[in-house]
Amino acid sequence: MKMTVAAPEVVRTIADLRSKIAEYRLRAGPAAKVGFVPTMGYLHEGHASLIRRSAAENGLTVLSVFVNPLQFGPNEDFERYPRDEKRDYAVAAEAGANLIFMPQVEEMYPRPMQTSISVRGVTERLCGASRPGHFDGVAVVVTKLLNIVAPDRAYFGLKDAQQVAVISRMAEDLNMPVEIVPCPIVRDADGLALSSRNVYLSAEERSQALVLSQALKKVPEWIEDGATAPELTGRIARLIRTKPLADIDYVEVLSYPALEPLAETLPLKQARERILVALAVRFGKTRLIDNVLIG
Ligand code: PAF
């Protein structure tokens, strides 16, 4: 049963959100499906694609907009992370969200957390290595949100492929009764992967940042040529370094979703696993991530 309300409703408290979802489940009966799209707001077309997919697959779509302080390091951009509730509301409404959960920090964390959640293994490399504690913060907030919303399905963008691997592993390890649905990266027409942080980029930084998707686009061809993991990362890094503003944090080739290194001498076209080619690169103060999944 589809929720019939045309305009989404903004909900600020956990109690109110739970009661509205319960009301929907009661009305819709046992076949009711609830889809959930957790975000930190400043919504773009990537988020809209997740909302649309959820709205197509579920009777009720809940969106959360919450900039989670726990997943930001001390020198990261928590304070300046872009926020715009009105704009988020308009994007969410257009894409088909039914309930928009917009809690204050005090609602989510009324007192300091004494509980932590650490997913080992899959968090050891990539952003897990560059941003210590980041995935613990993500794991806590996603667990809290999943406990609050209790959705049948939760939708996550593959631009954060490591985040998808971490959350899927956590949901599996903890027997969370939810299907984690990975969704494709959405790009601007010129190839730049959509991110709320793209607004930080100057025109020159943005133009040079196009090298990221250009490099990733070449990956299938380089793999076909017989590249090994070190050769592939070398080729990508060399191309990125042609842009003077690019400061590489990492370029890595790992198995997916285990996120383990591949044999260094193995031509990647012979690899049996799915392969993730992931990178994080700073342009000025803005750290961008992007990736491609092969296989
Ligand atoms: O991907 C994000 O926007 C965030 O990490 C998430 C999943 C909403 C948790 O705060």
Side-chain angles (χ1 to χ4, degrees), residues 151-174:
D152 298 281
R153 304 184 181 101
Y155 297 80
F156 294 88
L158 276 165
K159 188 171 82 66
D160 296 297
Q162 186 175 25
Q163 174 170 273
V164 174
V166 171
I167 291 167
S168 302
R169 184 60 197 245
M170 175 181 79
E172 224 178 289
D173 281 354
L174 299 180

Side-chain angles (χ1 to χ4, degrees), residues 38-40 66 68 71 138 141-142 156 160 163 167:
T39 76
M40 297 207 299
F66 178 62
N68 172 37
Q71 68 189 73
V138 170
V141 81
V142 170
F156 294 88
D160 296 297
Q163 174 170 273
I167 291 167

Side-chain angles (χ1 to χ4, degrees), residues 138-274:
V138 170
V140 163
V141 81
V142 170
T143 301
K144 280 168 79 78
L145 290 166
L146 291 175
N147 284 340
I148 294 163
V149 176
D152 298 281
R153 304 184 181 101
Y155 297 80
F156 294 88
L158 276 165
K159 188 171 82 66
D160 296 297
Q162 186 175 25
Q163 174 170 273
V164 174
V166 171
I167 291 167
S168 302
R169 184 60 197 245
M170 175 181 79
E172 224 178 289
D173 281 354
L174 299 180
N175 302 93
M176 293 177 165
V178 61
E179 182 192 343
I180 303 298
V181 185
C183 300
I185 298 177
V186 178
R187 298 179 181 280
D188 262 334
D190 57 12
L192 188 69
L194 295 188
S195 163
S196 306
R197 289 187 168 103
N198 289 353
V199 290
Y200 299 151
L201 296 167
S202 68
E204 186 51 34
E205 287 164 351
R206 195 188 179 292
S207 150
Q208 295 199 18
L210 296 182
V211 75
L212 305 185
S213 56
Q214 286 160 2
L216 291 172
K217 218 170 159 189
K218 288 187 163 290
V219 162
E221 180 190 319
W222 286 339
I223 291 181
E224 213 27 63
D225 282 354
T228 60
E231 284 162 1
L232 189 64
T233 53
R235 290 179 94 157
I236 295 170
R238 277 196 296 282
L239 184 53
I240 293 174
R241 285 197 192 103
T242 61
K243 301 296 169 187
L245 297 178
D247 174 16
I248 297 178
D249 178 353
Y250 63 73
V251 178
E252 285 198 64
V253 179
L254 300 169
S255 67
Y256 195 81
L259 298 180
E260 281 164 358
L262 295 138
E264 295 206 339
T265 52
L266 178 80
L268 292 166
K269 66 177 168 188
Q270 287 171 22
R272 295 227 182 100
E273 307 94 322
R274 264 185 118 186

